[in-house]
Amino acid sequence: MLLLLPLALGAAPKKAPKSQIKVALYNVTASQTRAKDVSEGKAPVQRLWSNSVEAVAEQIVTMDCDVVGLVDICDSIAGRQGNAGLPEALKAKGADYSWLILSNTRPSLPLEGAYNKTQAIIWKTDRYDCIDWSINWLGGFFDKNRLPKGVKGDATKSVTWAKFREKATGKEFYFMAASTNGQSNESLSKKNCENLIRIADEIVVTDGKPSIIVGSFNMQETAPAYKEYLSMSRWFDVYNRLKEEDLLSPSELSNKNTRNNTSGEKPSSGRPDYIFVDGFAMDSYMVAREKFPSADGTPVYPSYGFPIIAALTF
């Protein structure tokens, strides 16, 4: 009987190995915004998309993240303004990412249609398969002409989402990239966040897979929309959770800013960009505050936003 004991123990089901993933949120800022700031003297010429796209690409390569949510991409992403596209710039650097871009002004295939403050999701092609995707509007209205009386602002804020399967293990998870009105319109911002959480719940509830929400929410933690909807949801703010557990580095505790000023000279105040997770262990969080050479070799912050990065386990 003792000879059979190792066989019996060996028959116990094995637990699936843990999977590690590094994700990021990066506000790349639209080419037309950059051009306007340069023309008005608010930003140096290095800020033009055609002069900084290589720096943005180098930032993404340096981060070496598995999945990245890109916000405020607009025409910059496909090179329709500035004659330089980020997909091509990444490919030239040997970075093998797949892309999901859906217009938030009309349904379209990736890299087609009119981009209006749209998100993109990119992922390492060799690690994941994208098995489902869509886009949902957060304002509750399709366009500005349908806004309720007295409400101003952009109602076409949206969330782009994808469901991924890890090739090595078959594990699945959701990744959502969003943008909201923020402090520019408090009532619409609250509607954005209310709808974001409702939509996220509807997407994930059917199978309960782990999920990630990244976004440029243009608000601070004291904003009503954050306190009433984001902080009350089942998704946890990675920064705040690691801070509560005393797991943030001293540099992140002393400087939580996620954006630099318009001219790109120094960090601006606040933390308007976020990573929220459900079903993941949160291992680390950081803000990438690095400079890279622009087209003329001048070291610059590639965008108005610093990428925020989280290492997770599931």
Side-chain angles (χ1 to χ4, degrees):
M1 292 295 293
L2 291 177
L3 292 177
L4 296 178
L5 184 58
L7 293 176
L9 292 175
K14 295 182 179 180
K15 291 185 177 180
K18 293 289 187 180
S19 295
Q20 294 182 322
I21 181 172
K22 188 162 70 166
V23 302
L25 179 280
Y26 192 8
N27 186 325
V28 301
T29 311
S31 60
Q32 58 264 50
T33 300
R34 294 169 180 258
K36 183 174 182 291
D37 287 342
V38 172
S39 67
E40 294 177 351
K42 297 178 181 177
V45 69
Q46 287 83 6
R47 278 292 204 197
L48 290 174
W49 180 253
S50 55
N51 291 334
S52 60
V53 62
E54 289 294 324
V56 171
E58 191 62 33
Q59 173 75 83
I60 293 173
V61 170
T62 301
M63 294 190 305
D64 192 32
C65 287
D66 299 301
V67 187
V68 182
L70 303 171
V71 297
D72 284 355
I73 59 169
C74 299
D75 293 329
S76 301
I77 220 69
R80 308 202 177 181
Q81 301 278 344
N83 302 313
L86 186 54
E88 291 76 16
L90 283 171
K91 187 175 182 180
K93 293 180 180 295
D96 187 14
Y97 282 100
S98 296
W99 286 74
L100 174 65
I101 309 175
L102 301 169
S103 169
N104 70 349
T105 54
R106 63 178 178 84
S108 65
L109 295 174
L111 289 176
E112 292 183 0
Y115 303 117
N116 174 29
K117 298 184 178 178
T118 311
Q119 303 78 236
I121 299 175
I122 66 175
W123 63 94
K124 286 188 175 180
T125 308
D126 62 341
R127 288 205 63 184
Y128 308 100
D129 289 317
C130 181
I131 57 177
D132 197 6
W133 67 88
S134 190
I135 187 170
N136 295 79
W137 285 267
L138 302 180
F141 305 90
F142 187 81
D143 58 45
K144 295 179 183 179
N145 296 324
R146 301 182 191 179
L147 283 171
K149 185 177 180 181
V151 175
K152 299 179 180 179
D154 184 0
T156 59
K157 295 292 187 176
S158 59
V159 53
T160 297
W161 63 268
K163 185 178 184 181
F164 291 106
R165 179 179 291 132
E166 188 178 40
K167 292 182 178 181
T169 65
K171 292 181 179 180
E172 297 175 354
F173 63 94
Y174 289 91
F175 188 93
M176 310 172 216
S179 178
T180 69
N181 284 83
Q183 58 194 18
S184 63
N185 189 310
E186 185 175 301
S187 61
L188 198 50
S189 175
K190 290 174 69 172
K191 176 60 68 174
N192 289 166
C193 290
E194 178 186 13
N195 284 341
L196 172 63
I197 296 306
R198 176 181 58 80
I199 291 165
D201 273 324
E202 290 176 355
I203 292 170
V204 178
V205 72
T206 54
D207 54 17
K209 302 293 183 183
S211 53
I212 303 163
I213 302 175
V214 304
S216 182
F217 297 131
N218 303 302
M219 68 180 73
Q220 306 302 325
E221 301 158 45
T222 55
Y226 180 96
K227 292 193 295 184
E228 294 178 24
Y229 298 106
L230 301 180
S231 68
M232 300 299 289
S233 72
R234 61 189 171 102
W235 285 271
F236 291 99
D237 183 336
V238 174
Y239 176 92
N240 277 339
R241 174 50 63 91
L242 292 180
K243 180 180 178 180
E244 291 170 359
E245 297 178 357
D246 198 26
L247 295 175
L248 282 181
S249 68
S251 63
E252 297 306 336
L253 286 172
S254 63
N255 179 13
K256 64 180 183 179
N257 301 329
T258 63
R259 293 186 187 175
N260 56 76
N261 61 2
T262 301
S263 62
E265 297 171 349
K266 61 182 179 180
S268 58
S269 62
R271 185 172 71 95
D273 305 312
Y274 299 90
I275 297 176
F276 296 89
V277 301
D278 176 53
F280 289 88
M282 295 167 246
D283 301 324
S284 66
Y285 169 98
M286 67 168 289
V287 181
R289 303 182 184 90
E290 302 167 286
K291 288 188 175 182
F292 296 92
S294 65
D296 65 1
T298 304
V300 296
Y301 293 123
S303 185
Y304 295 27
F306 298 121
I308 56 174
I309 303 167
L312 311 169
T313 304
F314 70 112

